[in-house]
């Protein structure tokens, strides 16, 4: 089928582990059905989910059929992978509300032949004893405990409900294999044990081969988790992270991350990526702007990407920012700067806001805020507003 999509994924940095490369290469010669799961534990995905979403898009563009599994069933349990303690239990009503938000985000990356399903359809009505006899008997406790996700939790305590998660995820793969001929599961490298459990279950019950592929868990060059900022997580939903802030996150990535992120988070041809990677010094800003624009366009659409780029140029290029920059009303005759930083999303807490001020990182217009007790008076705010800066990278427009 046209392009060697596995080579494309590897060249762009998506491939960490796979269980049977020769078999997968052969399977990818024809249309292959694959799946990736997303548990709706929040009303939006965050930028860490861009890696699986972009991988799904590349596979879809190469002619393969995607299935996005929204975990209405597994979210009731909670995946212990990558977590140091038990996840908070979420009600079924909240999970379904979250699922609707996540579904619209996932569909932006997929084509018309893709399926979006909820594993609650087959998990929530499972008869427990029958499931243990038919499915549970194929799982070795010793092998499960050897999985990285479980080993990391044994010292702090692993609940029985979490211990079931791998079995349920493996069963998802079996159901999708039977119903849709799905033969490949993809996911982050913390899912490797769960994915292999699914390929093993299919082999034991169906006597057929299935495949697994994982992506590296993305951290920044500085060692931070992808998508974490001083103001919290970077979400894909515009009502949780504005397109302006989303653009700003990517335009301000570490110089060392630009080339890698262009490969992962855009569809730019590799020769164009190589041209951007060759840039150094101030010229690298062009590559960052391209990265920010392209991924904002994919997630939020062309119009929002254009607006975010124009707002950034206005706010940080010395022009008039106008209404393009996220705007917040003072809401009172006066407000403490500490409270304002939290209210407009430039700091996650009052203590974080105080630290920003004490470190000299807060400005109102061209004036540095020097005291944590400083206030902004409504009478002093110009008619077109004033810019509130937190560091060199984050800004809001305040109006009276």
């Amino acid at each position: 089928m046209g392009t060697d999509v596995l080579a494309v994924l590897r060249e762009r940095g998506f491939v960490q582990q796979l269980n049977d490369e020769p078999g997968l290469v052969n399977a990818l010669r024809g249309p292959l059905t694959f799946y990736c799961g997303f548990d709706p534990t929040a009303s939006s995905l965050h930028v860490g989910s861009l890696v699986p979403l972009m991988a799904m898009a590349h596979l879809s563009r190469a002619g393969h059929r995607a299935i996005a599994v929204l975990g209405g069933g597994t979210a009731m349990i909670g995946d212990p992978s990558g977590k140091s303690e038990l996840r908070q239990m979420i009600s079924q009503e909240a999970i379904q509300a979250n699922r609707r938000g996540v579904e619209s985000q996932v569909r932006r990356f997929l084509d018309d032949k893709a399926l979006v399903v909820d594993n609650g359809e087959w998990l929530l009505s499972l008869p427990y004893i029958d499931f243990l006899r038919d499915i549970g008997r194929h799982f070795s406790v010793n092998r499960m405990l050897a999985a990285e996700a479980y080993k990391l939790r044994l010292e702090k305590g692993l609940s029985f409900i979490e211990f079931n998660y791998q079995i349920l995820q493996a069963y998802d793969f079996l159901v999708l294999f039977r119903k849709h001929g799905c033969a490949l599961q993809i996911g982050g490298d913390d899912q490797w044990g769960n994915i292999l459990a699914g390929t093993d279950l299919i082999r034991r019950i169906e006597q057929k081969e299935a495949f697994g592929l994982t992506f590296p868990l993305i951290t920044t060059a500085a060692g931070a988790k992808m998508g974490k900022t001083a103001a919290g997580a970077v979400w894909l939903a515009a009502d949780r992270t504005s397109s302006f802030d989303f653009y700003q996150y990517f335009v301000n990535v570490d110089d060392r991350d630009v080339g890698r992120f262009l490969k992962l988070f855009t569809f730019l041809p590799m020769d164009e990526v190589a041209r951007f990677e060759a840039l150094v010094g101030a010229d690298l800003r062009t590559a960052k702007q391209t990265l920010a624009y392209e991924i904002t366009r994919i997630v939020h659409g062309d119009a929002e990407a254009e607006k975010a780029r124009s707002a950034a140029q206005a706010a940080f290029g010395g022009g008039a920012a106008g209404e393009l920059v996220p705007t917040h009303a003072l809401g009172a005759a006066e407000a403490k700067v500490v409270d304002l930083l939290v209210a407009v999303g430039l700091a996650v807490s009052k203590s974080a806001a105080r630290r920003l001020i004490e470190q000299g990182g807060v400005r109102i217009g061209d004036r540095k805020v020097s005291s944590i007790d400083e206030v902004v008076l409504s009478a002093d705010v110009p008619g077109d507003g004033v810019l509130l800066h937190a560091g060199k990278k984050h800004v809001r427009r305040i109006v009276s």
Side-chain angles (χ1 to χ4, degrees):
M1 287 187 65
T3 182
D4 181 353
V5 69
L6 185 58
V8 170
L9 291 175
R10 179 168 276 131
E11 183 180 29
R12 299 187 82 101
F14 286 96
V15 179
Q16 181 74 14
Q17 298 190 76
L18 39 82
N19 65 329
D20 175 7
E21 183 164 350
L24 180 57
V25 168
N26 186 58
L28 287 168
R29 291 196 175 102
L32 178 71
T33 298
F34 68 95
Y35 99 90
C36 187
F38 303 89
D39 277 356
T41 54
S43 61
S44 170
L45 300 174
H46 52 73
V47 294
S49 299
L50 288 173
V51 176
L53 288 170
M54 290 296 289
M56 293 179 81
H58 282 292
L59 284 161
S60 296
R61 287 177 168 213
H64 305 290
R65 184 172 67 150
I67 302 177
V69 175
L70 306 184
T74 42
M76 298 280 287
I77 300 295
D79 184 1
S81 302
K83 293 292 179 181
S84 58
E85 56 189 34
L86 179 67
R87 289 176 185 253
Q88 184 178 359
M89 294 291 104
I90 310 173
S91 71
Q92 196 165 343
E93 293 75 21
I95 289 170
Q96 288 307 309
N98 291 343
R99 184 187 63 76
R100 289 189 289 272
V102 169
E103 180 173 352
S104 64
Q105 295 170 348
V106 169
R107 287 191 181 277
R108 289 192 68 91
F109 289 79
L110 305 178
D111 57 22
D112 292 339
K113 67 177 182 290
L115 299 177
V116 179
V117 299
D118 183 343
N119 64 15
E121 295 173 15
W122 56 82
L123 292 182
L124 295 179
S125 60
L126 278 175
Y128 187 59
I129 299 300
D130 290 346
F131 182 72
L132 289 179
R133 285 172 59 88
D134 296 341
I135 303 300
R137 65 190 178 91
H138 294 290
F139 288 79
S140 160
V141 171
N142 289 346
R143 192 183 312 139
M144 290 174 71
L145 290 176
E148 199 65 25
Y150 291 141
K151 280 199 301 185
L152 292 172
R153 288 294 303 279
L154 286 177
E155 291 184 10
K156 289 197 171 184
L158 177 71
S159 72
F160 178 72
I161 191 171
E162 293 174 298
F163 191 63
N164 283 267
Y165 192 93
Q166 185 178 102
I167 302 176
L168 296 179
Q169 185 169 325
Y171 184 65
D172 284 349
F173 202 172
L174 177 65
V175 169
L176 296 172
F177 182 88
R178 287 171 166 172
K179 290 181 67 173
H180 303 292
C182 178
L184 169 65
Q185 181 182 172
I186 63 176
D189 203 48
D190 56 350
Q191 296 296 308
W192 182 238
N194 295 344
I195 292 173
L196 289 184
T199 62
D200 185 61
L201 184 63
I202 290 168
R203 184 168 54 251
R204 289 171 180 271
I205 293 181
E206 301 293 329
Q207 287 79 53
K208 298 285 180 62
E209 291 302 311
F211 309 99
L213 183 152
T214 63
F215 326 117
L217 301 177
I218 304 300
T219 56
T220 66
K225 189 174 181 180
M226 176 76 185
K228 292 295 183 183
T229 71
V234 180
W235 300 94
L236 303 192
D239 62 345
R240 300 190 69 165
T241 299
S242 70
S243 56
F244 175 83
D245 286 336
F246 188 87
Y247 179 95
Q248 282 301 113
Y249 174 76
F250 283 100
V251 88
N252 288 302
V253 297
D254 190 302
D255 291 357
R256 297 167 291 176
D257 289 323
V258 177
R260 183 166 57 120
F261 287 1
L262 281 166
K263 294 172 188 175
L264 288 168
F265 303 132
T266 79
F267 295 112
L268 294 178
M270 288 300 292
D271 57 351
E272 192 170 348
V273 172
R275 181 172 62 82
F276 281 121
E277 283 186 300
L279 300 176
V280 294
D283 291 338
L284 196 57
R285 186 73 177 171
T286 304
K288 292 184 178 185
Q289 290 168 341
T290 301
L291 167 66
Y293 177 80
E294 289 296 323
I295 189 55
T296 305
R297 186 176 63 81
I298 292 168
V299 173
H300 293 291
D302 292 348
E304 286 298 310
E306 289 286 356
K307 191 162 70 172
R309 179 165 62 182
S310 297
Q313 289 170 348
F316 299 100
E323 295 182 0
L324 293 171
V325 174
T327 300
H328 297 263
L330 199 59
E334 64 178 48
K336 291 188 68 172
V337 176
V338 166
D339 296 332
L340 201 55
L341 287 166
V342 176
V344 303
L346 292 178
V348 290
S349 65
K350 289 185 180 182
S351 59
R354 292 188 194 101
R355 283 195 299 273
L356 271 173
I357 293 171
E358 289 167 346
Q359 292 164 1
V362 178
R363 285 185 297 116
I364 298 175
D366 295 326
R367 179 176 59 82
K368 181 179 290 188
V369 176
S370 56
S371 168
I372 61 173
D373 297 317
E374 191 160 332
V375 298
V376 179
L377 300 176
S378 176
D380 293 337
V381 176
D384 59 352
V386 64
L387 294 183
L388 174 64
H389 293 265
K392 296 179 180 179
K393 302 176 181 179
H394 306 288
V395 66
R396 295 289 187 272
R397 187 171 73 110
I398 306 300
V399 296
S400 60

